[in-house]
Amino acid sequence: MTDGHLSQYLHDLPPSTRNVTSAAMALARLDELDWTPRGGYPGSDVLWPVKCLLCGWEGLRFYSHLRRARPKGRHAGCAPAAEIANRLDQLGRAATGTCTCAQPHAVSAEAFHETALLLASAHADGDSKQSLFLAERLMGPCTATARRGRAAQRAFPRS
């Protein structure tokens, strides 16, 4: 996902606060379940290309199916159901909750809110370079992805 376009974060979706918030929450959930996206967030009920970090399988999944409790099985040919929870826990140890990236990500509700509004403005102004920079701060890979997802929920709560 390094094509240098906003679509690497939001597939065919405008960078509205709702879409950016949903994408950040979806990326946090994928991270928690040890999936990695192979394309931008397409929306919750659209097939999303993903890669299983347990075995390397690549295919399509609905995010709406992944946001539920940990599934008993992941896909055909993956780890046995009895081993999945333990493997997820082992892989999840890389998540620190602290962003140590060279370009800090928005991991507080205030920072997420401000950055999302700046992204919407940059996109409306046609500033693709600034839009991509801000999208990276909201949705780029980071060891604090789960924290950023929680910040997104607090910044733009659903009513």
Side-chain angles (χ1 to χ4, degrees):
M1 289 197 330
T2 58
D3 66 1
H5 295 86
L6 196 56
S7 63
Q8 74 187 69
Y9 299 110
L10 296 169
H11 177 77
D12 290 337
L13 296 173
S16 67
T17 55
R18 180 175 175 91
N19 288 337
V20 169
T21 301
S22 295
M25 291 168 37
L27 290 166
R29 182 66 175 153
L30 274 145
D31 187 61
E32 176 186 13
L33 294 174
D34 287 304
W35 292 92
T36 190
R38 306 306 292 164
Y41 174 71
S44 79
D45 292 322
V46 178
L47 286 169
W48 195 359
V50 294
K51 179 178 181 180
C52 175
L53 295 179
L54 295 182
C55 70
W57 176 89
E58 292 188 33
L60 300 172
R61 289 284 179 257
F62 287 107
Y63 169 65
S64 59
H65 297 179
L66 296 173
R67 68 178 168 213
R68 299 184 187 117
R70 281 188 177 178
K72 292 180 183 172
R74 291 172 68 89
H75 57 83
C78 195
E83 295 178 22
I84 289 176
N86 185 43
R87 287 191 186 187
L88 289 173
D89 289 341
Q90 289 174 354
L91 284 170
R93 291 192 181 117
T96 64
T98 303
C99 175
T100 57
C101 301
Q103 191 60 247
H105 291 94
V107 295
S108 71
E110 297 79 17
F112 194 95
H113 186 269
E114 179 181 347
T115 306
L117 295 178
L118 288 171
L119 171 57
S121 178
H123 181 70
D125 291 343
D127 188 343
S128 58
K129 186 175 179 179
Q130 183 69 357
S131 294
L132 186 59
F133 170 77
L134 294 165
E136 167 66 29
R137 290 194 59 216
L138 296 171
M139 297 173 277
C142 180
T143 55
T145 298
R147 183 173 167 201
R148 187 177 52 208
R150 290 188 301 274
Q153 286 176 304
R154 289 190 311 276
F156 297 101
R158 301 240 166 105
S159 43

